[in-house]
Amino acid sequence: METTVWNKAQVEELLHRVSNCMLSMKNNGMEEKFPVSLIDMQCWEWPQGVGLYGLYLYYQSSGDRNILQFLVDWFDHRLEEGVSERNVNTTAPMLTMTYLYEQTGKERYLQEIRDWTDWMMDESGLLRAGDGCFQHMITGDPNDGEILIDTLFMAVLFLARAGRLLNRQECMDEAQYQIMNHIRYLYNREEGLFYHGWNFRQNHNYGKVMWGRGNSWYTVGIMEYLRENEVPEAMKRYFLSVYRCQCEALKRYQDPEHGVWHTVINNPETYEEISASAAFLAGIMKGVRLGILPKEEFLEVVQKGTAGILPYIQEDGTVLAVSYGTPIGWNEEFYCGIPCCPMTYGQALMIILLQEMLQW
């Protein structure tokens, strides 16, 4: 695609560095508040799950067998250790396992996919909140009555793909239902953006904060979902209508000077956050490339965004200005208090963006 402002050889080099950095990511002294590290690449949790998916996409495009071997070794070692518990967030690595099964034919992977899918579809397994929505249960906390926009990327993408792999239509139907109902309870129609969460016990959206990375799970996630799944035309139109409205809002709130987005999207006084910004750009660029978004209306967003985001990649491939794991907050100040540090999902979302840049 013409009128790009980047050098593809430079993008390929950045892609290599960002991916390699993720392979050895460790906690270098930050005090973590969750039972399982969200930073150490050798742990089974949602940040690592997003990271694995980014690495697999890089393997798909590059054919680098070292990446494939890393992924196989990672899953084999983690399965030998045992997963601490099944919940929405620990489902995230399972998405990549579906691809690795197709690559390797390992029966152990297929059995794990079957078992995990059975657990998700059983209401005594993955807990339901109101209207049958997946409750955003996390390691050590069931989060009673709570749903988050994050669930769509962490769990629903896997369920849809597992349904297709296992030839279980009910799983694919359930994935569509979950996306539709998460939109119903989390979408702010006035802004075209998503609230972070909803509580069925108290019937509220907590602080009604339109958090950056939460929104980005839809921007990039719905593109991945539609790429991988055959969806009835009416449902596809509905999902894309929400996506287009969201992209219009993102165009409106893009930082005019730096081209990236703030951790609270509609508050320019909050800090710039790069994992969300990478996902927003990747999702918008894919929409433009596929003709879903009009190029003439979003080209400046893409040019300004890519120019602004690449300097956040350090020489060793570390992606800066990525906020740590974030529960739902009651006000914007809560989100401003989340520290930033290198995270696997920051690396992965940058990988997804860089790969999209190579297709322009």
Side-chain angles (χ1 to χ4, degrees), residues 273-318:
E273 206 285 326
I274 296 307
S275 68
S277 297
F280 289 149
L281 281 170
I284 289 170
M285 290 176 70
K286 181 167 284 189
V288 172
R289 180 168 58 83
L290 297 178
I292 298 166
L293 298 175
K295 178 182 175 183
E296 63 275 10
E297 292 183 21
F298 285 90
L299 182 59
E300 184 179 357
V301 173
V302 170
Q303 291 176 332
K304 190 182 297 183
T306 49
I309 204 170
L310 295 185
Y312 283 93
I313 303 174
Q314 290 191 303
E315 277 298 313
D316 68 352
T318 301

Side-chain angles (χ1 to χ4, degrees), residues 17-310:
R17 296 207 315 250
V18 171
S19 301
N20 279 350
C21 178
M22 194 200 307
L23 299 180
S24 57
M25 191 164 281
K26 294 182 181 296
N27 185 328
N28 292 319
M30 179 174 173
E31 184 177 348
E32 299 198 59
K33 57 186 177 181
F34 296 105
V36 178
S37 173
L38 303 188
I39 300 175
D40 190 332
M41 187 61 197
Q42 297 305 318
C43 293
W44 185 299
E45 256 294 349
W46 72 268
Q48 295 84 351
V50 180
L52 294 165
Y53 185 61
L55 284 174
Y56 183 78
L57 293 178
Y58 181 45
Y59 161 70
Q60 273 190 321
S61 65
S62 68
D64 186 340
R65 303 291 294 184
N66 292 325
I67 297 292
L68 180 63
Q69 191 59 53
F70 174 88
L71 293 170
V72 170
D73 291 344
W74 190 94
F75 276 102
D76 289 351
H77 291 153
R78 301 294 83 74
L79 290 175
E80 186 176 338
E81 294 167 353
V83 181
S84 59
E85 73 173 59
R86 287 176 176 164
N87 56 56
V88 165
N89 278 349
T90 58
T91 301
M94 295 300 298
L95 176 61
T96 302
M97 189 186 286
T98 64
Y99 292 96
L100 283 190
Y101 168 69
E102 292 175 330
Q103 288 283 329
T104 66
K106 284 195 172 192
E107 188 63 31
R108 174 84 185 272
Y109 295 171
L110 181 61
Q111 189 57 52
E112 191 70 28
I113 292 165
R114 284 197 184 106
D115 292 347
W116 207 291
T117 303
D118 288 343
W119 170 81
M120 290 185 74
M121 294 297 289
D122 187 338
E123 293 190 14
S124 65
L126 176 50
L127 301 176
R128 270 40 170 196
D131 278 350
C133 293
F134 289 162
Q135 184 165 299
H136 195 83
M137 54 190 299
I138 63 173
T139 304
D141 191 343
N143 285 329
D144 187 39
E146 184 177 290
I147 65 171
L148 268 66
I149 190 65
D150 312 41
T151 298
L152 300 185
F153 197 99
M154 304 310 155
V156 173
L157 287 182
F158 162 72
L159 183 62
R161 197 160 203 285
R164 198 175 70 180
L165 187 68
L166 301 173
N167 195 28
R168 293 182 60 176
Q169 183 63 44
E170 73 274 18
C171 297
M172 294 180 275
D173 292 344
E174 183 67 25
Q176 288 181 35
Y177 180 82
Q178 292 298 326
I179 297 173
M180 181 177 64
N181 253 15
H182 277 69
I183 291 171
R184 177 185 176 192
Y185 286 101
L186 298 173
Y187 186 57
N188 178 339
R189 293 187 298 275
E190 294 179 359
E191 285 282 2
L193 296 168
F194 289 93
Y195 298 125
H196 191 178
W198 169 265
N199 189 295
F200 279 97
R201 302 297 184 204
Q202 301 167 24
N203 291 323
H204 60 61
N205 287 111
Y206 296 85
K208 295 188 175 181
V209 177
M210 288 168 287
W211 176 50
R213 191 166 58 247
N215 270 268
S216 78
W217 295 130
Y218 187 84
T219 322
V220 72
I222 202 65
M223 290 289 99
E224 293 302 300
Y225 174 78
L226 294 175
R227 178 177 69 87
E228 282 288 325
N229 298 279
E230 293 184 9
V231 181
E233 185 60 25
M235 191 66 69
K236 180 178 179 180
R237 287 173 59 192
Y238 175 60
F239 294 159
L240 287 178
S241 173
V242 173
Y243 162 82
R244 290 189 187 96
C245 290
Q246 189 195 37
C247 291
E248 287 289 342
L250 293 173
K251 181 171 64 171
R252 191 165 66 247
Y253 286 118
Q254 184 181 33
D255 188 276
E257 182 179 358
H258 301 130
V260 293
W261 284 266
H262 297 262
T263 196
V264 177
I265 296 174
N266 58 337
N267 185 348
E269 300 302 314
T270 62
Y271 62 75
E272 295 172 350
E273 206 285 326
I274 296 307
S275 68
S277 297
F280 289 149
L281 281 170
I284 289 170
M285 290 176 70
K286 181 167 284 189
V288 172
R289 180 168 58 83
L290 297 178
I292 298 166
L293 298 175
K295 178 182 175 183
E296 63 275 10
E297 292 183 21
F298 285 90
L299 182 59
E300 184 179 357
V301 173
V302 170
Q303 291 176 332
K304 190 182 297 183
T306 49
I309 204 170
L310 295 185

